[in-house]
Amino acid sequence: MEKPDFVKAKISETEYSSASAAVDSIFAQALEQRATDIHLEIEETTSLRFRINGLLYNFPAPEKELYSAAVTRIKVLANLDIAERRIPQSGAYKAVIKGGEVNVRVSTYPTIFGEAVAIRILDKRNLLLGFEQLGFQPETLARYNKILQEPYGIILVTGPTGGGKSTTLYSSLNKIKSARIHIITIEDPVEYHIPSLVQAQINPKAGMTFATGLRSILRQDPDVVMVGEIRDAETASISFQVAQTGQLVFATLHSNTAPGAATRLLDMKIEPFLVASSVIAVLSQTLVRTLCESCRKEYQPSSEALEGINLQEEPKPSFFCRGKGCNQCNGTGYQGRTGLFELMLPDEEIRKLIMEKAPTERIKEAARKAGMQTLREDGVKKSAQGIIALPDALRATKKD
């Protein structure tokens, strides 16, 4: 077992040993509960919370006397400076828990009571999924699969943090990879290694940013490039230059809706003709809790609830499901999460609106006429299919 410098850490070897066992137990329990995040915090008392199906739940925390030693153990594993407690730190490592390997990202944050720790668990079994498992409706999946066959252009994936964008990107790359295609990625961080891909991680301290990495990528003769995130105008501009030279580019972008991505790019000073000519698809997505199949029951929502649906299709569905709670789902009524998707494929009308710098609402109207199903429509359909609860669908798409 790797041990810290106990003088710097100001803990005893006995405390560290006990804390190590506590940390191992926390991780094993988190994996058993299928948690995506662990939050370890201290005030007058300690607290431990797991994010399960998108929500935080309390679990028994280590004793206050062991808290500092537990944080030290986590920092040692993530190769962080155990003597530095005044500034935030971040790191990552691979852990083997119950025979399975998971990638772990650690972030510490100094508080007035001590260091708070946020841990993201990246289980590789959840990263490379089939598109059906991600929650694509058949008609949306057929349109997306067709776009994946395009030789060049930009495919944007948008949505909130923790909305499943990385999973969609990895699944897309895994689907199209072959010995005849050279795929290069630049990520922050590399969440999962896919064999036969050339993957790089940014390192700003060393001068490796998204922009600098992209400038060098063309010399590597790629067919497909994946940019972890378009964060600024420089990265956006270079990404479009790569697409213009004949490569297929995947990238994520902060935008609440697919039509809003065009406006976001224009705000970043990308020329309208580049956006109109290069973007071949925008996929907006978010994650919603799925109902437990063992205890979900049909019910009829109130007329007030149905008024907020605004579906194009008629008649509107009138029966939906909700979870009652059972032993299978620990009484929550939910098990797992699924994606809601909104896929915009720019046609001539949409490209014309982009060239005119038209408002997002006009682009949205044109996209719906061209066959785009909105996030809310996808959510309501999944509610009517008994996959998710209607209130969760409406809540997740309130900005749609």
Side-chain angles (χ1 to χ4, degrees), residues 79-147:
N79 197 30
L80 303 181
D81 185 352
I82 61 174
E84 180 56 76
R85 303 179 182 182
R86 301 164 298 174
I87 60 174
Q89 297 186 65
S90 60
Y93 69 99
K94 291 183 179 180
V96 178
I97 305 172
K98 291 190 172 181
E101 186 179 82
V102 297
N103 291 340
V104 178
R105 281 161 42 188
V106 176
S107 172
T108 66
Y109 189 79
T111 75
I112 57 175
F113 294 97
E115 289 180 286
V117 182
I119 302 168
R120 171 66 56 89
I121 300 175
L122 301 166
D123 191 341
K124 64 182 180 181
R125 292 169 295 185
N126 298 329
L127 279 172
L128 295 180
L129 300 174
F131 289 124
E132 294 84 358
Q133 292 174 277
L134 295 178
F136 277 87
Q137 297 280 11
E139 60 271 22
T140 303
L141 180 56
R143 300 174 79 211
Y144 187 64
N145 277 330
K146 187 176 180 180
I147 284 296

Coordinates of all heavy atoms in Angstrom, one line a residue, residues 79-147:
N79 N -2.3 11.3 -6.9 CA -1.0 11.9 -7.1 C -1.1 13.4 -6.9 O -0.5 14.2 -7.7 CB -0.5 11.6 -8.5 CG 1.0 11.9 -8.6 OD1 1.7 11.8 -7.7 ND2 1.4 12.2 -9.8
L80 N -1.8 13.8 -5.8 CA -1.9 15.2 -5.5 C -0.9 15.6 -4.3 O -0.4 14.7 -3.7 CB -3.3 15.6 -5.1 CG -4.4 15.3 -6.1 CD1 -5.8 15.7 -5.5 CD2 -4.2 16.0 -7.4
D81 N -0.7 16.8 -4.1 CA 0.2 17.3 -3.1 C -0.5 17.2 -1.7 O -1.4 18.0 -1.5 CB 0.7 18.7 -3.4 CG 1.7 19.2 -2.4 OD1 2.0 18.5 -1.4 OD2 2.2 20.3 -2.6
I82 N -0.1 16.3 -0.9 CA -0.8 16.1 0.4 C -0.5 17.2 1.4 O -1.2 17.4 2.4 CB -0.5 14.7 1.0 CG1 1.0 14.6 1.3 CG2 -0.9 13.6 0.1 CD1 1.4 13.4 2.1
A83 N 0.6 17.9 1.2 CA 1.0 19.0 2.1 C 0.3 20.3 1.8 O 0.2 21.2 2.6 CB 2.5 19.2 2.1
E84 N -0.3 20.4 0.6 CA -1.0 21.6 0.1 C -2.5 21.5 0.4 O -3.1 20.7 -0.3 CB -0.7 21.9 -1.3 CG -1.4 23.2 -1.9 CD -1.0 24.4 -1.1 OE1 0.2 24.9 -1.3 OE2 -1.8 24.8 -0.2
R85 N -3.0 22.3 1.3 CA -4.4 22.3 1.6 C -5.1 23.6 1.4 O -6.3 23.8 1.7 CB -4.6 21.8 3.1 CG -4.0 20.5 3.4 CD -4.2 20.1 4.8 NE -3.5 18.9 5.2 CZ -3.6 18.3 6.4 NH1 -4.3 18.9 7.3 NH2 -3.0 17.1 6.6
R86 N -4.4 24.6 0.8 CA -4.9 25.9 0.7 C -5.5 26.3 -0.6 O -6.3 27.2 -0.8 CB -3.8 26.9 1.0 CG -3.2 26.8 2.4 CD -1.9 27.6 2.5 NE -0.9 27.0 1.5 CZ 0.3 27.5 1.3 NH1 0.7 28.7 1.9 NH2 1.1 27.0 0.4
I87 N -5.2 25.4 -1.6 CA -5.7 25.7 -3.0 C -6.4 24.5 -3.6 O -6.1 23.4 -3.1 CB -4.5 26.1 -3.9 CG1 -3.5 25.0 -4.0 CG2 -3.9 27.4 -3.5 CD1 -2.4 25.3 -5.0
P88 N -7.3 24.7 -4.5 CA -7.9 23.5 -5.1 C -6.9 22.7 -5.9 O -5.9 23.2 -6.5 CB -9.0 24.1 -6.1 CG -9.2 25.5 -5.6 CD -7.9 25.9 -5.0
Q89 N -7.1 21.4 -6.0 CA -6.3 20.5 -6.8 C -7.1 19.5 -7.5 O -8.3 19.2 -7.1 CB -5.3 19.7 -5.9 CG -4.3 20.6 -5.1 CD -3.3 19.7 -4.4 OE1 -2.5 19.0 -5.0 NE2 -3.3 19.8 -3.0
S90 N -6.6 19.0 -8.6 CA -7.3 18.0 -9.3 C -6.4 16.9 -9.9 O -5.2 17.2 -10.2 CB -8.1 18.6 -10.5 OG -7.3 19.2 -11.4
G91 N -6.9 15.7 -10.0 CA -6.0 14.6 -10.4 C -6.9 13.4 -10.9 O -8.1 13.5 -10.8
A92 N -6.2 12.4 -11.3 CA -7.0 11.2 -11.8 C -6.1 9.9 -11.6 O -4.9 10.0 -11.5 CB -7.4 11.4 -13.2
Y93 N -6.8 8.8 -11.5 CA -6.1 7.5 -11.5 C -7.1 6.4 -11.8 O -8.3 6.6 -12.0 CB -5.5 7.3 -10.1 CG -6.5 7.0 -9.0 CD1 -6.8 5.7 -8.5 CD2 -7.2 8.1 -8.3 CE1 -7.7 5.5 -7.5 CE2 -8.1 7.9 -7.3 CZ -8.4 6.6 -6.9 OH -9.3 6.3 -5.9
K94 N -6.5 5.2 -12.0 CA -7.3 4.0 -12.3 C -7.4 3.2 -11.1 O -6.4 2.9 -10.4 CB -6.7 3.2 -13.5 CG -6.8 3.9 -14.8 CD -6.2 3.0 -15.9 CE -6.4 3.7 -17.3 NZ -5.8 2.9 -18.4
A95 N -8.6 2.7 -10.8 CA -8.8 1.9 -9.6 C -9.4 0.6 -10.0 O -10.2 0.5 -10.9 CB -9.7 2.6 -8.6
V96 N -9.0 -0.5 -9.3 CA -9.6 -1.8 -9.5 C -10.5 -2.0 -8.3 O -10.1 -2.2 -7.1 CB -8.6 -2.9 -9.6 CG1 -9.3 -4.2 -9.7 CG2 -7.7 -2.6 -10.8
I97 N -11.8 -2.1 -8.5 CA -12.8 -2.2 -7.4 C -13.7 -3.4 -7.8 O -14.3 -3.5 -8.8 CB -13.7 -1.0 -7.3 CG1 -12.8 0.3 -7.1 CG2 -14.7 -1.1 -6.2 CD1 -13.6 1.6 -7.2
K98 N -13.7 -4.4 -6.9 CA -14.5 -5.6 -7.0 C -14.2 -6.3 -8.4 O -15.1 -6.7 -9.1 CB -16.0 -5.3 -6.9 CG -16.4 -5.0 -5.5 CD -17.9 -4.9 -5.3 CE -18.3 -4.8 -3.9 NZ -19.7 -4.8 -3.7
G99 N -12.9 -6.3 -8.8 CA -12.5 -7.0 -10.0 C -12.7 -6.2 -11.3 O -12.3 -6.6 -12.3
G100 N -13.3 -5.0 -11.1 CA -13.5 -4.1 -12.3 C -12.7 -2.9 -12.3 O -12.5 -2.3 -11.2
E101 N -12.1 -2.5 -13.4 CA -11.3 -1.3 -13.5 C -12.2 -0.1 -13.8 O -12.9 -0.1 -14.8 CB -10.2 -1.4 -14.5 CG -9.2 -0.3 -14.6 CD -8.1 -0.5 -15.6 OE1 -8.4 -0.2 -16.8 OE2 -7.0 -0.9 -15.2
V102 N -12.0 1.0 -13.0 CA -12.7 2.2 -13.3 C -11.7 3.4 -13.3 O -10.7 3.4 -12.6 CB -13.8 2.5 -12.2 CG1 -14.9 1.4 -12.3 CG2 -13.2 2.6 -10.8
N103 N -12.0 4.4 -14.1 CA -11.2 5.7 -14.1 C -11.8 6.6 -13.0 O -13.1 6.8 -13.0 CB -11.2 6.3 -15.4 CG -10.5 5.5 -16.4 OD1 -9.6 4.7 -16.1 ND2 -10.7 5.8 -17.7
V104 N -11.0 7.2 -12.2 CA -11.5 8.1 -11.1 C -10.8 9.5 -11.3 O -9.6 9.6 -11.5 CB -11.1 7.5 -9.8 CG1 -11.5 8.4 -8.6 CG2 -11.7 6.1 -9.6
R105 N -11.7 10.5 -11.3 CA -11.2 11.9 -11.3 C -11.5 12.5 -9.9 O -12.6 12.4 -9.4 CB -11.9 12.7 -12.4 CG -11.3 12.4 -13.8 CD -12.2 12.8 -14.9 NE -12.9 14.0 -14.8 CZ -13.9 14.4 -15.6 NH1 -14.2 13.7 -16.6 NH2 -14.5 15.6 -15.4
V106 N -10.5 13.2 -9.4 CA -10.6 13.7 -8.0 C -10.4 15.2 -8.1 O -9.5 15.7 -8.7 CB -9.5 13.1 -7.1 CG1 -9.5 13.7 -5.7 CG2 -9.7 11.6 -7.0
S107 N -11.2 15.9 -7.3 CA -11.1 17.4 -7.2 C -11.2 17.7 -5.7 O -12.2 17.4 -5.1 CB -12.2 18.1 -8.0 OG -12.2 19.5 -7.7
T108 N -10.2 18.5 -5.2 CA -10.3 18.9 -3.8 C -10.6 20.4 -3.8 O -10.1 21.2 -4.7 CB -9.0 18.6 -3.0 OG1 -7.9 19.4 -3.6 CG2 -8.7 17.1 -3.1
Y109 N -11.2 20.9 -2.7 CA -11.6 22.3 -2.6 C -11.5 22.7 -1.2 O -12.1 22.1 -0.3 CB -13.0 22.5 -3.1 CG -13.4 24.0 -3.2 CD1 -13.0 24.7 -4.3 CD2 -14.2 24.6 -2.3 CE1 -13.3 26.0 -4.5 CE2 -14.5 25.9 -2.4 CZ -14.1 26.7 -3.5 OH -14.4 28.0 -3.6
P110 N -10.6 23.7 -0.9 CA -10.4 24.1 0.5 C -11.6 24.9 1.1 O -12.1 25.8 0.5 CB -9.1 25.0 0.5 CG -9.2 25.5 -0.9 CD -9.8 24.5 -1.8
T111 N -12.1 24.5 2.3 CA -13.2 25.1 2.9 C -12.7 25.6 4.3 O -11.6 25.3 4.7 CB -14.4 24.2 3.1 OG1 -14.1 23.3 4.1 CG2 -14.7 23.5 1.8
I112 N -13.5 26.3 5.0 CA -13.1 26.8 6.3 C -13.0 25.7 7.4 O -12.4 25.9 8.4 CB -14.1 27.9 6.8 CG1 -15.5 27.3 6.9 CG2 -14.1 29.1 6.0 CD1 -16.6 28.3 7.5
F113 N -13.6 24.5 7.0 CA -13.5 23.4 8.0 C -12.5 22.3 7.5 O -12.1 21.5 8.3 CB -14.9 22.7 8.1 CG -15.9 23.5 8.7 CD1 -16.8 24.3 7.9 CD2 -16.0 23.7 10.1 CE1 -17.8 25.1 8.5 CE2 -17.0 24.5 10.7 CZ -17.9 25.2 9.9
G114 N -12.0 22.4 6.3 CA -11.1 21.4 5.8 C -11.4 21.2 4.3 O -12.1 21.9 3.7
E115 N -10.7 20.2 3.7 CA -10.8 20.0 2.3 C -12.1 19.2 1.9 O -12.3 18.1 2.5 CB -9.6 19.3 1.7 CG -8.4 20.2 1.7 CD -7.2 19.4 1.1 OE1 -6.6 18.6 1.9 OE2 -6.8 19.7 0.0
A116 N -12.9 19.7 1.0 CA -14.0 19.0 0.4 C -13.5 18.2 -0.8 O -12.6 18.7 -1.5 CB -15.1 19.9 0.0
V117 N -14.0 17.0 -1.0 CA -13.5 16.2 -2.1 C -14.7 15.8 -3.0 O -15.7 15.3 -2.5 CB -12.8 14.9 -1.6 CG1 -12.2 14.1 -2.8 CG2 -11.6 15.3 -0.7
A118 N -14.6 16.0 -4.3 CA -15.6 15.5 -5.3 C -14.9 14.5 -6.2 O -13.8 14.8 -6.7 CB -16.1 16.7 -6.1
I119 N -15.5 13.4 -6.3 CA -14.9 12.3 -7.1 C -15.9 11.9 -8.2 O -17.0 11.6 -7.9 CB -14.6 11.1 -6.2 CG1 -13.6 11.5 -5.1 CG2 -14.0 10.0 -7.0 CD1 -13.5 10.5 -3.9
R120 N -15.4 11.8 -9.4 CA -16.2 11.3 -10.5 C -15.7 9.9 -10.9 O -14.5 9.7 -11.0 CB -16.0 12.3 -11.8 CG -16.6 11.7 -13.1 CD -18.1 11.6 -13.1 NE -18.8 12.9 -12.7 CZ -19.1 13.8 -13.6 NH1 -18.8 13.6 -14.9 NH2 -19.8 14.9 -13.3
I121 N -16.7 9.0 -10.9 CA -16.4 7.6 -11.2 C -16.8 7.4 -12.7 O -17.9 7.5 -13.1 CB -17.1 6.6 -10.3 CG1 -16.8 6.9 -8.8 CG2 -16.9 5.2 -10.7 CD1 -17.6 6.1 -7.9
L122 N -15.8 6.9 -13.5 CA -16.0 6.7 -14.9 C -15.8 5.2 -15.1 O -14.7 4.7 -15.3 CB -15.0 7.5 -15.7 CG -15.1 9.0 -15.5 CD1 -13.9 9.7 -16.2 CD2 -16.4 9.6 -16.1
D123 N -16.9 4.5 -15.1 CA -16.9 3.0 -15.3 C -16.9 2.8 -16.8 O -17.9 3.1 -17.5 CB -18.2 2.4 -14.6 CG -18.1 0.9 -14.6 OD1 -17.3 0.3 -15.3 OD2 -18.8 0.3 -13.8
K124 N -15.9 2.1 -17.3 CA -15.7 1.9 -18.7 C -16.9 1.1 -19.3 O -17.2 1.2 -20.5 CB -14.4 1.3 -19.1 CG -14.2 -0.1 -18.5 CD -12.8 -0.6 -18.9 CE -12.6 -2.0 -18.3 NZ -11.2 -2.5 -18.7
R125 N -17.5 0.3 -18.4 CA -18.7 -0.5 -18.9 C -19.8 0.4 -19.3 O -20.7 0.0 -20.0 CB -19.1 -1.5 -17.8 CG -18.0 -2.6 -17.6 CD -18.4 -3.4 -16.4 NE -18.3 -2.6 -15.2 CZ -18.5 -3.1 -13.9 NH1 -18.7 -4.3 -13.7 NH2 -18.4 -2.3 -12.9
N126 N -19.9 1.6 -18.8 CA -21.0 2.6 -19.1 C -20.6 3.5 -20.2 O -21.5 4.3 -20.6 CB -21.4 3.3 -17.8 CG -21.9 2.4 -16.7 OD1 -22.4 1.4 -17.0 ND2 -21.6 2.8 -15.5
L127 N -19.4 3.5 -20.7 CA -18.9 4.5 -21.6 C -19.1 4.1 -23.1 O -19.5 4.9 -23.9 CB -17.5 4.9 -21.4 CG -17.2 5.9 -20.3 CD1 -15.7 6.0 -20.1 CD2 -17.8 7.2 -20.7
L128 N -18.9 2.8 -23.3 CA -19.1 2.3 -24.7 C -20.3 1.5 -24.8 O -20.3 0.2 -24.7 CB -17.8 1.4 -25.1 CG -16.5 2.2 -25.1 CD1 -15.4 1.3 -25.5 CD2 -16.6 3.4 -26.1
L129 N -21.4 2.2 -25.0 CA -22.7 1.5 -25.1 C -23.3 1.6 -26.5 O -22.9 2.4 -27.3 CB -23.7 2.2 -24.2 CG -23.4 2.2 -22.7 CD1 -24.4 3.0 -21.9 CD2 -23.3 0.8 -22.1
G130 N -24.2 0.7 -26.9 CA -24.9 0.8 -28.1 C -25.8 2.0 -28.1 O -26.3 2.4 -27.0
F131 N -26.1 2.6 -29.2 CA -26.9 3.7 -29.3 C -28.3 3.5 -28.7 O -29.0 4.3 -28.1 CB -27.0 4.3 -30.7 CG -25.7 4.9 -31.1 CD1 -25.1 4.5 -32.3 CD2 -25.2 5.9 -30.4 CE1 -23.9 5.1 -32.7 CE2 -24.0 6.5 -30.8 CZ -23.4 6.1 -32.0
E132 N -28.8 2.2 -28.9 CA -30.2 1.9 -28.4 C -30.1 2.0 -26.8 O -31.1 2.4 -26.2 CB -30.6 0.5 -28.8 CG -30.9 0.4 -30.3 CD -29.6 0.1 -31.1 OE1 -28.5 0.1 -30.5 OE2 -29.7 -0.1 -32.3
Q133 N -29.0 1.6 -26.2 CA -28.9 1.6 -24.8 C -28.8 3.1 -24.3 O -29.2 3.3 -23.1 CB -27.7 0.8 -24.3 CG -27.8 -0.7 -24.5 CD -26.5 -1.4 -24.2 OE1 -25.6 -1.5 -25.0 NE2 -26.4 -1.9 -23.0
L134 N -28.3 4.0 -25.1 CA -28.2 5.4 -24.7 C -29.6 6.0 -24.7 O -29.7 7.1 -24.0 CB -27.3 6.1 -25.7 CG -25.8 5.7 -25.7 CD1 -25.1 6.5 -26.8 CD2 -25.2 5.8 -24.4
G135 N -30.6 5.5 -25.4 CA -31.9 6.1 -25.4 C -32.4 6.7 -26.7 O -33.4 7.4 -26.7
F136 N -31.7 6.5 -27.8 CA -32.1 7.0 -29.0 C -33.4 6.4 -29.5 O -33.6 5.2 -29.5 CB -31.1 6.7 -30.1 CG -29.9 7.7 -30.1 CD1 -28.8 7.5 -29.3 CD2 -29.9 8.8 -31.0 CE1 -27.7 8.4 -29.4 CE2 -28.9 9.7 -31.0 CZ -27.8 9.5 -30.2
Q137 N -34.3 7.2 -30.0 CA -35.5 6.7 -30.6 C -35.1 6.2 -32.0 O -34.2 6.7 -32.6 CB -36.6 7.8 -30.8 CG -37.1 8.4 -29.5 CD -38.2 7.6 -28.8 OE1 -38.4 6.4 -29.2 NE2 -38.8 8.1 -27.8
P138 N -35.8 5.2 -32.5 CA -35.4 4.6 -33.8 C -35.2 5.5 -34.9 O -34.3 5.5 -35.7 CB -36.5 3.6 -34.1 CG -37.1 3.2 -32.7 CD -37.0 4.5 -31.9
E139 N -36.2 6.5 -35.0 CA -36.1 7.5 -36.2 C -34.9 8.4 -36.0 O -34.2 8.7 -37.0 CB -37.4 8.3 -36.3 CG -37.8 9.1 -35.1 CD -38.6 8.3 -34.1 OE1 -38.6 7.1 -34.1 OE2 -39.3 9.0 -33.3
T140 N -34.6 8.8 -34.8 CA -33.5 9.7 -34.5 C -32.2 8.9 -34.8 O -31.2 9.5 -35.3 CB -33.5 10.2 -33.1 OG1 -34.7 10.9 -32.9 CG2 -32.3 11.2 -32.8
L141 N -32.1 7.7 -34.3 CA -30.9 6.9 -34.5 C -30.6 6.6 -36.0 O -29.4 6.7 -36.4 CB -31.1 5.5 -33.8 CG -29.9 4.6 -33.9 CD1 -28.6 5.2 -33.4 CD2 -30.2 3.3 -33.1
A142 N -31.6 6.4 -36.8 CA -31.4 6.2 -38.2 C -30.8 7.4 -38.8 O -29.9 7.3 -39.7 CB -32.7 5.8 -38.9
R143 N -31.3 8.6 -38.5 CA -30.7 9.8 -39.0 C -29.3 10.0 -38.6 O -28.4 10.5 -39.3 CB -31.6 11.0 -38.6 CG -33.1 10.9 -39.1 CD -33.9 12.0 -38.6 NE -33.7 13.2 -39.4 CZ -33.8 14.4 -38.8 NH1 -34.1 14.6 -37.5 NH2 -33.7 15.5 -39.6
Y144 N -29.0 9.7 -37.3 CA -27.7 9.9 -36.8 C -26.7 9.0 -37.4 O -25.6 9.4 -37.7 CB -27.7 9.8 -35.2 CG -26.4 10.2 -34.6 CD1 -25.9 11.5 -34.6 CD2 -25.6 9.2 -33.9 CE1 -24.7 11.8 -34.0 CE2 -24.4 9.6 -33.3 CZ -24.0 10.9 -33.4 OH -22.8 11.2 -32.8
N145 N -27.1 7.7 -37.5 CA -26.2 6.7 -38.1 C -25.8 7.1 -39.5 O -24.7 6.9 -40.0 CB -26.8 5.3 -38.1 CG -26.7 4.6 -36.8 OD1 -25.7 4.8 -36.1 ND2 -27.6 3.8 -36.4
K146 N -26.7 7.7 -40.3 CA -26.5 8.1 -41.6 C -25.4 9.2 -41.7 O -24.5 9.2 -42.5 CB -27.8 8.6 -42.3 CG -27.6 8.9 -43.8 CD -28.9 9.3 -44.4 CE -28.8 9.6 -45.9 NZ -30.1 10.0 -46.5
I147 N -25.5 10.2 -40.7 CA -24.5 11.3 -40.6 C -23.1 10.7 -40.3 O -22.1 11.3 -40.7 CB -25.0 12.3 -39.6 CG1 -26.1 13.1 -40.1 CG2 -23.9 13.2 -39.1 CD1 -25.7 14.0 -41.3

